[in-house]
Amino acid sequence: SLRPRMGKAVPKLCVCLCASCTAPFYICLTVRHGFPYQPSAMSFDPVQKILAIGTQTGALRLFGRPGVECYCQHDSGAAVIQLQFLINEGALVSALADDSIHLWNLRQKRPAVLHSLKFNRERITFCHLPFQSKWLYIGTERGNIHIVNVESFTLSGYVIMWNKAIELSSKAHPGPVVHISDNPMDEGKLIIGFESGIVVLWDLKSKKADYRYTYDEAIHSVAWHHEGKQFICSHSDGTLTIWNVKSPGKPAQTITPHGKQPKDGKKPEPCKPILKVEYKTTRAGDPFMILSGGLSYDTVGRRPCLTVMHGKSTAVLEMDYPIVDFLTLCETPYPNDFQEPYAVVVLLEKDLVVIDLAQNGYPIFENPYPLTIHESPVTCCEYFADCPVDIIPALYSVGSRQKRQGYSKKEWPISGGNWGLGTQSYPEIIITGHADGSVKFWDASAIMLQVLYKLKTAKVFEKSRNKEDKPCTDIVDEDPFAIQIMSWCAESRMLCVAGVSAHVIVYRFSKQEVTTEVVQVSAGESYGTVAVRPCGGLHTAAAGPSSSLEATPTVGGPGACVIPSPTPTLCPRVRSAPLKQSPGYQVELVVQLVWVSGEPPQQVTSLAVNSSYGLMAFGNSNGLAIVDYLQKTVLLNLGTVELYGSNDPYQRQPRSPRKSRQPSGGKEPAAVTFEPVSPHSSLEGSTTSEDRCKSPTSVQDGCCTSLLCLPTVLLSVCPLRAAPPDARDTSFSRSRSSSVTSIDKEAREAITALHFADTFARKGENCAAPTLWVGTSLGTVLAVALSLPPAGEQRLLQPVIVSPSGTQIRLKGSILRMAFLDSVGAILPPAHEAWYEPNAPDEREEREKARKRRPVSVSPSASQELGEIHYAVVCSEKQAKVLALPSQSCVFKHNITETSFVLRSDVVQMSGSVCVTCFCANGHIMALSLPSLRPLLDVNYLPLTDMRIARTFCFSNNGQAMYLTSPTEIQRITYSQETCENLQEMLGELFTPVETPEAPNRGFFKGLFGGGAQSLDREELFGESAAGKASRSLAQHIPGPGGIEGMKGAASGVVGELARARIALDERGQKLSELEERTAAMMASADSFSKHAHDMMLKCKDKKWYQF
């Protein structure tokens, strides 16, 4: 079965397809974006200029120039403890917490493991691979050092045992190896740091220790001066000790960078451990000492710091998150030359920071990678492939003004690799909603990701004055502005977002700055009673559990009553001060569901906006509201039960009002009415759009603002009576039955899907008209007919008539998605208005032109008016149906799943046809043809293990899909064969042929007197002929899949034939080498037998026959 493990890079999954399908489907991972989740190790190739990051889940992320990224995964999933590049060789060694080491081939677009070595009796603690060496030193927890040949991944017989290294210098075990490195000037001398504080300089040739350096504090790291005469150690008490190589007695210097120096000459107070130190030299000035940790213990609450000591100056650079690791980037890869450091890469728990060492003040580089997805936790996502071509430049132009200042002026230093040859030309946008109320727009075209624009919805609300005044702590988890649902019209650029505090905000896109006054208009409805009151602030009438609805005469007309609101601290307060809105998305309307009798409103469960109609609709677990955002009125506010009218199929128990809800004087609430709220009453008799542009508060103050001072209106919608709020549902154990018996006593039926369309609302209609289709959690689809006034001035003055049509369609399970097709099966997109600049200088003329323009709606063709049909596509958690309209007869039906349920469904366009795609809770990804609902794809891809995936999975056009695979990373996948086939070309290349820089010049005198770097023939020392074979039980060699197989995958395109010939040669060479190894083993066996026979002959030569 096709079951890739979660998060593992699976190159391609082939699936069985319907023979008649025109667009073959594959599932394959394309790219992973975002910050590596739970990073644990880092390495940098200074010649190739590639950065590698390993994580606690065994993932590897490789970064080159902006746009060149790669993700791979270790099979075991064990944490990466260390990474080492084979510099300029296109290979990387990773050491894992399960005591295995792996060699990755980076010369192919999808890196793969060439060899693995699994240690059985030793725990790996540290690795070191000298520059231009093929021998890897591996330090262990027992204090021993083993040596591995990285070409063959075999162990050498040369071992440095801990007891031989320390001999009699210590009575106790020195602890695990925490550092290994060779002397920059003498490759034959190896420095070994043990955790207990002992450092040993080991002579590889003589196999003994030259010097031993002892300090009474534990060691965390060691670094050499490039001349090889000094080294520096960092310790657990916050000190640095500098040692002269030939003076092991005591340190040449002891520094406590953050310790307070007592006046009486005593030792400074101990500080926190210095976890790492690097010592880098420059030709022209003082060396750099860079360290992490070491702060004094009295700095409680201080943020993690990186300290840069240069000459007499010490700079302490505060970080936002704990430091995992850091690396100093230097001009040369040679350790025996002046290092010339130019930047420091700091890997934090949730960020990657690069510091410019060459500029005063050490500014940071602007990070070009999309690593800020998790800046605030992602709460929802939407994915739009094949957008209008002008939307990305428009978002980029307003987003570029939001960039911070003060970055380094130099180019980003991680600049390796080459971009792929992207064949996808259509624009793609990903929108992420976040816990802090922000919304981010990302350019996702051609498998890259770049942030375009960030919108902060929290700006609409008043800031919390003090810490105790935490809004909405009763009903939300901490973040009162968290985004729950987003609805976006790419053509008109209208955006609608619903927040966790039961608020909905409508935004328009503008390229001009504008200042708006928030005019608060409360228009609520409770069982038909309407409260209409323009006011300068929120309701101030106190309401607790015992408060009641008071029938008070207001300007709203007869029968209207004011609905008391709870104390303002319970929900976010909309700003009353003028709101300065930057170019980009600007608030058009804020809708808040208000508290009733001390009970919070239910959260919004569905949302839709339509720019052609000027309407926005949203629903929750109690009912549906339709808002006219042009006239700023609530058109409909009904409970789900009332939407059915007299056609309710369920035997519901009537909900008796609670005592706290009883109106004063025992009066019954008014009867339910479907009449729309007139725009005249909602704005206190204002009859023209000119009057509506004036803020009531600004008129009272006697200072009317300029023409660009437009009102932003707050509508407070009083929801229908709600049942007690249940705890947030975080599991999928809830009942999914749609039978009548499963309805709870409160008869709750949530609105789960909304769709605006120009189609037939009633059975037998002969003309398509604007409608709103409503899907519920009990599997019912209802149609609401919309009667719109003519475009232009009339649209702003005459009311929109809304009337439930009586149409009902039933499916099993909660409704997830609805869409409409024309008579030939092509998708009917919702009608939309083309975008126009709402804040143009000649505002009135621009608006009139735009409003009089016919909306870009999919108007029925002449053939459709003669009675030709539309198809309604409805997908629920259990099944999909296609119905012919206007007859409403079911023409196709498919049961998607019996044992599970669908989490996400989308109707998408692909290769000129339309299909419905589903992601189920059991991990299956499915595709069904439209309108026939034939199964095209069914892959067991990703068993659901996390609510995050359920919340963020979404499909888009052209075979694209995405989900949040970790709190910080987006995983994109494709289910299109065409994209899968082109993926190899689209991916960037990590390895590019680069000349290794020349080695530093030794100089005449150093060459004459032997003062330069001493080389060492490691092959002579560590090879089998000199060192013998290592114990077989010590480690097990595992050949990786990335050898021959990885190269087979890369053999395509122009050099395909050459690559195939090379593969054939490699395979032949591999077989020859195996034969050679077997021959060598047989020869060794024969030698051994001959030796034993000779020994036996010598032993028996002089014995007499009776001695046997």
Side-chain angles (χ1 to χ4, degrees), residues 41 56 70 196 306 317 339 348 447 474 517 559 571 596 612-613 618 752 781 794 799 843 885 901 925 939 1084 1094-1095:
Q56 291 178 30
C70 186
S196 64
L306 187 84
L317 310 175
Q339 299 299 290
L348 308 176
I447 70 168
D474 295 340
E517 295 266 348
C571 270
V596 175
S612 176
Y613 307 160
F618 64 94
T752 54
V781 176
Q794 294 297 308
E843 184 187 8
L885 298 181
F901 53 93
I925 290 178
V939 176
H1094 185 68
D1095 289 348

Side-chain angles (χ1 to χ4, degrees), residues 7 92 99 215 245 451 463 510 568 612 671 746 748 750 783 801 807 888 916 954 984 1003 1032 1091:
L92 174 75
D99 310 307
Y215 193 72
V245 168
V451 70
K463 287 183 181 174
S510 172
S612 176
E746 285 284 348
R748 277 260 201 92
I801 307 298
T807 293
Q888 296 184 8
V916 58
C954 44
Q984 196 68 22
R1032 281 190 179 181
K1091 189 181 174 188

Side-chain angles (χ1 to χ4, degrees), residues 308-321:
V308 180
M309 300 169 73
H310 184 224
K312 292 181 180 177
S313 74
T314 300
V316 181
L317 310 175
E318 287 195 341
M319 302 291 158
D320 290 335
Y321 305 102

Side-chain angles (χ1 to χ4, degrees), residues 356-571:
D356 186 352
L357 288 179
Q359 283 189 43
N360 289 335
Y362 305 129
I364 64 169
F365 288 86
E366 185 176 7
N367 196 322
Y369 304 135
L371 302 184
T372 58
I373 290 167
H374 64 288
E375 194 172 24
S376 171
V378 176
T379 51
C380 59
C381 298
E382 292 297 337
Y383 189 3
F384 300 88
D386 210 4
C387 299
V389 290
D390 58 345
I391 188 69
I392 288 176
L395 287 165
Y396 182 79
S397 68
V398 293
S400 58
R401 305 179 199 184
Q402 298 177 325
K403 290 190 175 177
R404 282 174 49 197
Q405 302 298 315
Y407 289 112
S408 168
K409 293 179 174 60
K410 292 187 179 175
E411 284 190 14
W412 181 249
I414 304 161
S415 55
N418 280 324
W419 292 307
L421 303 168
T423 53
Q424 280 177 223
S425 56
Y426 52 86
E428 297 174 71
I429 283 182
I430 290 172
I431 308 178
T432 53
H434 299 263
D436 64 353
S438 60
V439 176
K440 287 183 184 175
F441 289 78
W442 304 82
D443 177 6
S445 310
I447 70 168
M448 293 190 186
L449 195 71
Q450 180 186 7
V451 70
L452 291 171
Y453 172 72
K454 180 180 176 181
L455 168 68
K456 294 179 180 176
T457 65
K459 282 185 175 179
V460 176
F461 301 99
E462 297 279 7
K463 287 183 181 174
S464 186
R465 297 279 169 93
N466 53 43
K467 288 180 183 176
E468 291 167 15
D469 184 21
K470 254 201 161 181
C472 290
T473 47
D474 295 340
I475 54 163
V476 289
D477 278 345
E478 281 174 23
D479 302 298
F481 310 120
I483 306 295
Q484 274 195 310
I485 311 174
M486 299 177 291
S487 177
W488 185 55
C489 174
E491 287 78 12
S492 66
R493 306 181 191 172
M494 290 296 297
L495 173 70
C496 205
V497 297
V500 77
S501 300
H503 62 268
V504 180
I505 310 174
V506 181
Y507 288 93
R508 276 190 192 276
F509 185 84
S510 172
K511 292 183 177 178
Q512 297 189 16
E513 189 174 284
V514 67
T515 301
T516 60
E517 295 266 348
V518 179
V519 181
Q520 300 185 349
V521 180
S522 49
E525 186 174 316
S526 180
Y527 276 87
T529 57
V530 182
V532 183
R533 185 176 63 171
C535 57
L538 280 174
H539 295 295
T540 53
S546 61
S547 66
S548 62
L549 301 174
E550 294 181 13
T552 315
T554 63
V555 296
C561 74
V562 174
I563 294 163
S565 170
T567 49
T569 55
L570 290 169
C571 270

